[in-house]
Amino acid sequence: DKIQEAAAGAIRNLSGENEDSVSGEGGIALLIALLRSPSESTQEQAASALWSMSTNERNQAKIVSEGGITPLKDCLRSPNKKVQEQCVGIIRNLSMNEANEIPMMEEGVLPPLIELLRSLNERIQEHACVGLRNLSMHPRCKLQMVQDGVMEPLVGLMRSPLEVIQEHTVVCIRNLSMALDNVVTIMENDALPPLIGM
């Protein structure tokens, strides 16, 4: 409702210089709960605040420990592109912390993250690609990613007009190729010709 939307917006505005206070007063738990709001505007405000706060390593741990992964995963499939972009940005930030890699995989983040590689929004593509690149460092994640079908969209992104997306894509494929079990699938998805053409 409007009150929750306004509260989430106020928390977002206050969190800039007061992250520790917002986190310590239960702000992260509230924002995570608001990601489940039926109102997309409320989700937007909550996701915006969490995105800003998720650049801090302590807040990353708190987002995970407060149960944030599942609602973030669900928001990756939001019809609202702004909510999608903010939530994939949070996932990108969480993926930078090694301790979050397995919980994210186990809670099913990989399939919707892989789907976002096909987004028409290049910012969403880039965040998804960086998140997957980070997760591809973990031995279990790199196997699961290939099983979940990451190769086809990655091969497509090697032809992206944006060099930054090409770079993250190639690094992700390099990481995936370090697992022998992935090599056949990578080759079957015709990754070699665009790699040679880079």
Side-chain angles (χ1 to χ4, degrees):
D1 68 9
K2 292 291 182 193
I3 296 172
Q4 287 183 327
E5 181 184 341
I11 292 168
R12 182 200 64 208
N13 295 339
L14 294 170
S15 67
E17 299 296 318
N18 304 290
E19 279 187 5
D20 290 339
S21 297
V22 169
S23 176
E25 294 289 331
I28 287 178
L30 172 65
L31 292 168
I32 289 168
L34 292 178
L35 289 176
R36 298 186 187 278
S37 168
S39 159
E40 288 181 5
S41 300
T42 302
Q43 288 179 352
E44 262 186 56
Q45 297 293 336
S48 177
L50 284 169
W51 192 8
S52 170
M53 295 177 75
S54 70
T55 58
N56 174 312
E57 203 169 309
R58 282 191 315 273
N59 290 338
Q60 291 170 7
K62 195 145 193 170
I63 289 167
V64 172
S65 69
E66 297 277 354
I69 294 176
T70 296
L72 284 167
K73 172 196 74 175
D74 294 341
C75 286
L76 294 180
R77 291 191 165 116
S78 170
N80 182 315
K81 297 301 176 202
K82 208 170 208 178
V83 171
Q84 264 189 7
E85 182 181 350
Q86 291 164 335
C87 289
V88 76
I90 299 164
I91 292 288
R92 173 186 179 161
N93 290 343
L94 295 180
S95 74
M96 295 168 66
N97 186 330
E98 232 177 272
N100 298 335
E101 292 172 350
I102 292 300
M104 289 169 72
M105 184 188 84
E106 289 178 345
E107 292 193 44
V109 165
L110 293 177
L113 199 56
I114 290 167
E115 283 174 32
L116 291 181
L117 294 176
R118 293 183 168 94
S119 172
L120 299 178
N121 180 316
E122 289 171 334
R123 289 186 306 274
I124 290 174
Q125 277 183 350
E126 182 183 344
H127 292 313
C129 201
V130 174
L132 289 164
R133 183 205 68 197
N134 293 340
L135 293 170
S136 71
M137 296 294 293
H138 193 283
R140 279 181 59 199
C141 287
K142 69 179 66 181
L143 294 173
Q144 190 63 52
M145 284 168 62
V146 170
Q147 289 170 22
D148 287 344
V150 76
M151 284 313 305
E152 186 184 334
L154 281 179
V155 169
L157 285 181
M158 281 197 277
R159 296 179 177 90
S160 168
L162 295 184
E163 197 171 303
V164 67
I165 291 178
Q166 288 180 16
E167 180 186 339
H168 294 306
T169 300
V170 172
V171 172
C172 187
I173 292 171
R174 180 203 63 199
N175 294 344
L176 296 173
S177 70
M178 293 168 78
L180 287 176
D181 289 350
N182 287 341
V183 171
V184 170
T185 306
I186 292 170
M187 294 301 288
E188 285 175 349
N189 279 271
D190 295 323
L192 195 55
L195 282 169
I196 291 170
M198 292 310 263

